Every structure is written in C-alpha cells, then in structure tokens.
Amino acid sequence: MSNVVTDPRPVVRKFLARPQHEGVGATVRRSIGRFELKYFDPFLVLDEFSVTAPAGFPDHPHRGFETVTYMLQGAVTHEDFEGHKGTIEAGDLQWMTAGRGIVHSEMPAAEGTQKGLQLWINLSSKHKMIEPKYQEMKSTDIKEASRNGVEVRVIAGESLGVRSEIYTRTPTMYLDFTLKPGAHIRQPIPLSWNAFVYVLEGEGVFGKERCSAVSAHHLLLLGEGDGLYASNKSSKALRFILVGGEPLGEPVRQYGPFVMNTQEQIDQTIEDYENCTNGFEKARQWKSQSSFVFGY
Ligand code: FJE
Ligand code: FE
C-alpha cells in the first residue's frame, strides 16, 4: 500500500444513527445493520451502545462472524460458556471471533453509563465454522502515533508508521483518530476495500476539502479512491473512527445473531443451538454469573 493519498475517496452516503432499543434496556445508535443499510460488505453491524445497569446484553449466541467491542466510557464484563471472562474498560478492545459458536453475556461493570462501539465483521464461508477465539487489548497496549495535531490509536492495520498486532481473519483496518483544531490527515486505504468513517466527537470535513462539516453520530460511506482525507476546521477536537475491510462478495443470510451464506445453513444453526451440537455443546448447562447478579 502506498504511503501517499493522491485520489481521496468521496463521501457517497451519509447516515445519522439515532438511538434505538436493543438487548434488555440498552440503547444503541445503529448505523450499519439498520433497514436502509443492511450490509456494507464485510460489515454487518456498527452500534454505538449505551448501557446503564441493570440493562445489558444477557446470555445470547453468535455464529459465523466476529464482534469487535471498543470501549469509550465505563466498563463491560463479558463471560462465555467456555468459562472465558473479562472486563473491558474505556480504551480497551475485545476482538472476538465467534466462528462456529459462542454463547455469552455482555453486562455493565461500573456505575453510570457504559459507552462503546460494537462492530460485527462477517467471516468468509471457509471461516464461518472455525474455533472461537479472543484477542483482548488493554488501552495501554494499543499503539498510538501522533503527528501535526493528529493522534491515532491503531486498533487494526497500520497508520503513521505504527502497526497493530491484532489478527484480522477478514482483512480489516480500524483506526481511532483525534484531530486538534486546524489539523488534517491523509490516510491510505487499499483500493479494493470498502471503508467508512463514524464520527464520535466534534465536527470534521471528510472526502474533499470543500465538503461541509459532519458532526457526531454520523456514518459516512466512502467511495472509490486510495485513501481518506479528513480535516478539522472547527475550534474543538474532532474524534472519529476509520474502518475498512476487504469485501467478501458472498451471499449473506442472517437470522439475528447467526450469519451464514444460505438458508439451509441458518436452519442447521438454529437446530445446532437448540440441540447444543456442532459447537454449542456447552450451552446445555451454562448460565452466566451475571444472570444471577442481575436476576435475568
Ligand atoms: C445481539 C440484539 C443485541 N449491539 N453492542 C440481538 F442487542 C445483540 C447484542 C448487541 C451488543 C452488545 C454489546 Cl456489548 C454492544 C451490541 C448488539 O448483543 F447479539 C443480538 N443478536
Ligand atoms: Fe454478543
């Protein structure tokens, strides 16, 4: 990938993510995965979530994709039916490959409101049934770089000469940028990848220099080109994520938390989950500790 951006990608679509109810009493601003944008290959869902106890995401399954949870505020405890348990706090990351099957809970672990981003990345047909896997990174282990008023946290991929160690089964980049007033950035993106921006704080100009500024909770789909141009022409900090991925180009069949290629595979998955087979064996006995704490 070249280090210079000569043909910045235009913004081709813009969505404001409004709050909606999800899980049990939780709120998400869903941008990808809503009715108007069911899929942005390979991305299935992007939720900016907000949960306050006793609300949360109690015991539920996943199959066929990855969930990437990046905390912005507070803390979330996750536990799964294999006995894997952990708490992620502001700035921490959990990159979970559900593969053939995970059953887990994701519940608040601090006072007040827990906020973060959860991205669902599809897996190719040949990887949908792989063993589940976790990659976790504490905030202090996430590499950062800064240059000319731009700060980047490299969650996946590479930016400003810094590379993340996160392994992305579906080739993906995930960068968290903060631009001081007056700063701008040109970030290369592989030509064939789909890419989007989601604005977290402040206002920014994306795509071309003359575009109007975009504010928080907006998703911007980028068109063709070799990278992103972003600029902060406001008087406050601008924070956004840039995510890109190699499209799979495969049929997608989704039933809630199960994402496969065909209806037959979905039927099989529902059967596997009901019968506790083919990766859901441990679902038979298991209930999260959270379910007792929160009484669900
Ligand atoms: C899920 C409804 C859900 N976005 N953001 C249905 F809410 C969920 C789910 C989540 C979720 C969890 C966190 Cl921690 C953050 C989220 C949706 O767990 F998986 C299905 N199927
Ligand atoms: Fe989940």
Side-chain angles (χ1 to χ4, degrees):
M1 189 163 63
S2 154
N3 251 330
V4 287
V5 175
T6 57
D7 178 25
R9 291 172 175 240
V11 172
V12 292
R13 289 175 83 184
K14 177 174 133 181
F15 298 89
L16 171 62
R18 292 197 174 81
Q20 65 183 63
H21 300 289
E22 263 302 356
V24 176
T27 300
V28 303
R29 291 177 181 267
R30 179 161 296 169
S31 44
I32 301 171
R34 63 205 254 170
F35 177 75
E36 307 92 302
L37 182 61
K38 272 321 277 177
Y39 189 49
F40 186 53
D41 194 2
F43 305 109
L44 294 152
V45 167
L46 179 66
D47 279 352
E48 182 184 356
F49 63 88
S50 181
V51 285
T52 309
F57 302 93
D59 310 9
H60 62 278
H62 294 284
R63 174 183 278 181
F65 60 99
E66 304 188 294
T67 66
V68 178
T69 309
Y70 182 46
M71 293 301 296
L72 299 172
Q73 176 189 307
V76 162
T77 292
H78 59 90
E79 338 166 24
D80 79 6
F81 67 168
E82 301 270 2
H84 186 101
K85 186 170 178 179
T87 299
I88 45 175
E89 302 177 316
D92 297 353
L93 174 77
Q94 183 201 62
W95 196 292
M96 183 186 90
T97 307
R100 64 209 299 254
I102 282 284
V103 179
H104 73 168
S105 67
E106 297 154 291
M107 298 299 291
E111 300 281 304
T113 306
Q114 334 305 315
K115 291 187 183 191
L117 296 169
Q118 190 170 91
L119 175 69
W120 293 11
I121 308 175
N122 205 359
L123 286 167
S124 73
S125 54
K126 62 174 185 291
H127 294 134
K128 284 191 178 293
M129 294 298 281
I130 59 178
E131 287 293 301
K133 168 180 163 153
Y134 288 91
Q135 299 175 83
E136 270 158 0
M137 236 187 229
K138 297 301 285 176
S139 185
T140 47
D141 298 328
I142 294 178
K143 288 190 200 154
E144 298 181 349
S146 61
R147 191 184 292 171
N148 301 333
V150 175
E151 239 180 68
V152 63
R153 311 191 79 228
V154 185
I155 292 161
E158 184 176 340
S159 182
L160 299 179
V162 169
R163 222 190 139 69
S164 163
E165 271 140 42
I166 290 285
Y167 174 67
T168 63
R169 179 64 76 167
T170 302
T172 306
M173 64 191 286
Y174 191 141
L175 305 170
D176 171 6
F177 283 106
T178 303
L179 271 61
K180 292 202 170 114
H184 69 273
I185 179 87
R186 286 184 180 83
Q187 169 63 44
I189 304 167
L191 280 174
S192 63
W193 288 19
N194 281 332
F196 66 83
V197 162
Y198 186 79
V199 182
L200 293 172
E201 271 174 50
E203 285 193 356
V205 172
F206 300 90
K208 310 276 172 201
E209 245 160 297
R210 314 172 73 96
C211 291
S212 52
V214 178
S215 59
H217 317 300
H218 281 92
L219 175 83
L220 307 174
L221 301 188
L222 304 177
E224 287 186 9
D226 61 0
L228 172 74
Y229 168 80
S231 163
N232 182 358
K233 297 183 176 164
S234 78
S235 56
K236 293 193 186 121
L238 162 68
R239 187 177 181 194
F240 65 91
I241 58 163
L242 167 64
V243 177
E246 187 171 79
L248 300 171
E250 294 179 355
V252 177
R253 204 82 182 143
Q254 177 166 4
Y255 178 76
F258 305 137
V259 182
M260 304 301 284
N261 299 110
T262 66
Q263 186 58 45
E264 290 68 43
Q265 292 166 342
I266 289 291
D267 295 343
Q268 181 64 52
T269 301
I270 294 167
E271 214 179 293
D272 287 342
Y273 181 53
E274 278 174 1
N275 300 337
C276 303
T277 53
N278 286 322
F280 287 114
E281 283 79 1
K282 294 196 172 131
R284 192 178 295 276
Q285 299 292 335
W286 185 77
K287 242 170 103 73
S288 66
Q289 286 166 280
S290 297
S291 70
F292 301 106
V293 177
F294 289 92
Y296 57 74

